[in-house]
């Protein structure tokens, strides 16, 4: 059973009567445990596609099945439930609270759950240890390097034990060494069984995934595992 299955989805935006198509007849299947890169130039529709898959946006047409459930027409509240329970996000800009500790940032997705505080601390600590930041629990996020802040964001995405992690240009604000470290973490998480979907315009980053889906002008132009897979070095 596919974790994600899209059937001829479309997405368009309307502003003052002007319709702008973004995605056109996109069909795609992603299995549990895959590491997939969406690659394409700016404006190709790759981030919009990820936002639809991650329940941040709604499609205009077609069908979206998540774990065999048709989620194409869910309400905003139902989409929010899927976001909190089933997916984790890593963004280019980190989106951390500057004056909160590393531990508090990672615990944030659990705050509105019924998980007791002691269990929230335990889960957040485990997630931080998974990205080699167990020694930084009480530091403020603005005291960390860019690479460390992105690793905190990855830990935050992991803390709810999601079905899939979405990463939107996760190395875009990082230097080469920090970017390789983040990509190595993604590869390690994938080896542990996590499903990852990464959006990037950088071929060097995309080639760390097992599968590269190339998008141009709102359409999939290629979908291949036929590439030399890169392995980044992990720098501490």
């Amino acid at each position: 059973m596919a974790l994600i299955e899209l059937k001829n989805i479309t997405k368009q935006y309307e502003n003052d009567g002007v319709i702008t198509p973004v995605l056109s007849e996109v069909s795609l299947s992603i299995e549990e445990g895959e590491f997939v890169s969406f690659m394409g130039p700016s404006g190709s529709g790759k981030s919009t596609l990820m936002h639809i898959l991650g329940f941040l946006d709604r499609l205009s047409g077609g069908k979206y099945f998540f774990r065999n459930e048709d989620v194409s027409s869910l309400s905003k509240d139902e989409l929010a439930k899927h976001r909190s329970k089933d997916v984790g996000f890593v963004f280019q800009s980190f989106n951390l609270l500057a004056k909160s500790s590393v531990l508090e940032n990672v615990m944030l997705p659990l705050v509105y759950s019924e998980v007791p505080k002691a269990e929230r601390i335990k889960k957040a600590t485990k997630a931080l240890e998974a990205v080699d930041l167990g020694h930084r629990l009480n530091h403020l996020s603005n005291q960390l390097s860019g690479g460390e802040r992105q690793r905190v964001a990855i830990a935050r995405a992991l803390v709810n034990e999601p079905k899939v992690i979405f990463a939107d240009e996760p190395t875009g604000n990082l230097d080469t060494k920090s970017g390789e470290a983040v990509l190595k973490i993604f590869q390690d998480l994938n080896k542990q069984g996590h499903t990852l979907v990464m959006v990037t315009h950088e071929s060097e980053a995309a080639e760390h995934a097992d599968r590269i889906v190339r998008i141009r002008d709102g359409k999939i132009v290629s979908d291949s595992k036929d590439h030399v897979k890169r392995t980044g070095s992990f720098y501490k």
Side-chain angles (χ1 to χ4, degrees):
M1 180 183 72
L3 175 64
I4 287 170
E5 187 171 5
L6 303 179
K7 295 184 177 181
N8 301 316
I9 73 160
T10 61
K11 178 64 180 179
Q12 60 189 29
Y13 295 102
E14 184 173 352
N15 186 24
D16 293 332
V18 178
I19 296 175
T20 304
V22 182
L23 296 173
S24 177
E25 300 294 322
V26 172
S27 295
L28 179 73
S29 181
I30 297 175
E31 302 291 328
E32 290 196 39
E34 280 198 278
F35 183 4
V36 182
S37 285
F38 291 162
M39 187 179 172
S42 296
S44 62
K46 60 187 186 298
S47 290
T48 298
L49 179 57
M50 190 200 77
H51 290 168
I52 289 172
L53 295 181
F55 308 106
L56 290 169
D57 202 352
R58 304 178 75 170
L59 49 78
S60 301
K63 292 289 184 180
Y64 174 16
F65 295 90
F66 186 85
R67 305 192 84 198
N68 217 30
E69 175 191 356
D70 186 352
V71 295
S72 309
S73 303
L74 295 184
S75 67
K76 289 184 178 180
D77 288 344
E78 289 169 325
L79 290 174
K81 287 179 182 178
H82 273 288
R83 280 199 305 272
S84 64
K85 183 180 69 171
D86 293 325
V87 300
F89 294 99
V90 180
F91 296 102
Q92 178 177 350
S93 56
F94 317 133
N95 292 350
L96 302 179
L97 300 177
K99 296 183 179 180
S100 296
S101 72
V102 166
L103 185 64
E104 288 168 339
N105 269 282
V106 176
M107 288 171 57
L108 196 58
L110 300 172
V111 168
Y112 299 107
S113 68
E114 297 180 357
V115 179
K117 185 175 181 180
E119 184 67 15
R120 296 202 300 267
I121 292 172
K122 182 179 178 180
K123 284 177 174 286
T125 300
K126 180 181 177 181
L128 283 161
E129 289 172 347
V131 297
D132 199 40
L133 282 178
H135 61 296
R136 293 286 207 179
L137 301 183
N138 297 314
H139 284 70
L140 298 180
S141 64
N142 61 4
Q143 295 175 320
L144 305 182
S145 68
E148 288 174 325
R149 278 181 279 172
Q150 192 60 293
R151 283 153 61 189
V152 173
I154 294 170
R156 183 184 57 195
L158 282 171
V159 75
N160 263 339
E161 300 177 1
K163 305 294 187 301
V164 56
I165 296 172
F166 293 101
D168 194 357
E169 301 283 3
T171 60
N173 283 338
L174 304 179
D175 58 42
T176 300
K177 186 168 71 172
S178 298
E180 287 182 349
V182 165
L183 292 167
K184 176 62 166 57
I185 289 174
F186 285 155
Q187 289 181 324
D188 289 344
L189 291 172
N190 180 240
K191 288 176 183 176
Q192 295 165 21
H194 292 277
T195 306
L196 291 106
V197 177
M198 177 174 67
V199 164
T200 182
H201 67 277
E202 300 172 343
S203 59
E204 293 86 354
E207 288 165 2
H208 284 75
D210 298 313
R211 174 182 168 196
I212 301 176
V213 177
R214 298 180 188 273
I215 302 171
R216 183 176 293 275
D217 298 328
K219 297 180 179 181
I220 293 177
V221 295
S222 69
D223 184 346
S224 174
K225 297 182 180 180
D226 186 22
H227 66 278
V228 178
K229 187 176 177 181
R230 292 177 182 258
T231 55
S233 301
F234 187 74
Y235 295 88
K236 297 182 182 179

